[in-house]
Amino acid sequence: DSGVTQTPKHLITATGQRVTLRCSPRSGDLSVYWYQQSLDQGLQFLIQYYNGEERAKGNILERFSAQQFPDLHSELNLSSLELGDSALYFCASSVEPDGGAPLHFGNGTRLTVT
Amino acid sequence: GENVEQHPSTLSVQEGDSAVIKCTYSDSASNYFPWYKQELGKRPQLIIDIRSNVGEKKDQRIAVTLNKTAKHFSLHITETQPEDSAVYFCAVSGGSYIPTFGRGTSLIVHP
């Protein structure tokens, strides 16, 4: 167990809808990363938060947004969903803000857009 | 930003053989190089990592080597077993860069 909790495990929704993915980082970790993994694809970086502030942004679509709350849990909001958004979304946490420490991944949320 | 290339994309070996996966990176300021193993349908998990002040690190059947001059690092798995079958990702980070992952290597170990 990595100590990182992601909910829900599975989401099935229709095109045009909006969903929220939730992540609770490992105790003591201030940094939260969101990655997208499509079928047979690698891990695409979406966004990073550190201690409540956005720290880095990857190729995140404008339809996607995220935030980190005072209790350090994070939410990833995906709106106007398209078929191509179907993927496995991972949250990872770390003790450091600059990537110089291991990432601890949650079990992921599998999103299916129909 | 950082650019990470990982080869090969697929590696098929017989049980007991060795496996080597190589990654190259572009920014000499990068200083942390972890490897993650992802079994089918599961989360990536750290298996070994190395920092830029070390040339080699070993943990039982797994080792990582780093060549800072050439900007590449490799994962070595000896005496492979069927349970080593998974997708392996290298990553590069440190300095001002967020962790950037290679595209992954699917390792298949045939009994």
Side-chain angles (χ1 to χ4, degrees):
Chain A
D1 184 12
S2 67
V4 179
T5 304
Q6 283 189 254
T7 57
K9 289 184 180 179
H10 302 279
L11 263 179
I12 302 174
T13 189
T15 54
Q17 295 299 303
R18 171 189 169 96
V19 297
T20 297
L21 283 55
R22 182 187 168 104
C23 170
S24 292
R26 204 174 60 132
S27 178
D29 287 354
L30 300 179
S31 196
V32 171
Y33 300 80
W34 286 97
Y35 285 88
Q36 179 193 57
Q37 186 174 43
S38 302
L39 191 64
D40 293 333
Q41 294 294 310
L43 293 155
Q44 301 299 315
F45 170 67
L46 295 177
I47 197 164
Q48 179 204 3
Y49 283 84
Y50 180 76
N51 202 22
E53 300 290 327
E54 180 185 306
R55 181 169 178 85
K57 209 174 225 186
N59 295 324
I60 187 168
L61 300 171
E62 286 191 9
R63 300 183 285 108
F64 295 0
S65 65
Q67 55 184 324
Q68 187 179 31
F69 294 86
D71 66 353
L72 299 178
H73 92 270
S74 178
E75 293 182 358
L76 179 66
N77 301 296
L78 315 175
S79 62
S80 302
L81 284 168
E82 302 175 358
L83 296 177
D85 297 329
S86 296
L88 191 53
Y89 291 84
F90 283 107
C91 162
S93 72
S94 180
V95 296
E96 292 188 14
D98 62 358
L103 297 185
H104 301 273
F105 285 85
N107 289 325
T109 293
R110 182 168 296 282
L111 173 66
T112 303
V113 182
T114 62
Chain B
E2 179 64 271
N3 182 39
V4 180
E5 294 193 3
Q6 182 173 345
H7 297 283
S9 57
T10 305
L11 181 57
S12 183
V13 301
Q14 289 296 127
E15 182 177 359
D17 288 349
S18 294
V20 180
I21 304 169
K22 182 177 177 178
C23 284
T24 61
Y25 59 99
S26 58
D27 193 332
S28 56
S30 296
N31 57 22
Y32 179 61
F33 310 92
W35 286 91
Y36 294 85
K37 175 183 180 182
Q38 185 179 25
E39 297 178 0
L40 190 61
K42 298 192 175 180
R43 61 186 170 86
Q45 296 188 65
L46 179 78
I47 55 172
I48 196 166
D49 58 7
I50 194 167
R51 297 189 185 275
S52 58
N53 59 346
V54 176
E56 183 174 358
K57 184 176 179 180
K58 192 172 182 179
D59 182 4
Q60 299 184 339
R61 295 186 298 108
I62 294 173
V64 56
T65 57
L66 172 65
N67 184 325
K68 284 169 46 181
T69 303
K71 294 203 280 288
H72 68 71
F73 59 110
S74 299
L75 176 70
H76 304 256
I77 305 175
T78 58
E79 300 172 23
T80 53
Q81 301 167 4
E83 51 265 39
D84 294 329
S85 296
V87 178
Y88 292 81
F89 292 98
C90 66
V92 177
S93 63
S96 61
Y97 291 115
I98 51 93
T100 303
F101 285 81
R103 293 183 61 84
T105 295
S106 178
L107 174 64
I108 304 164
V109 180
H110 299 280

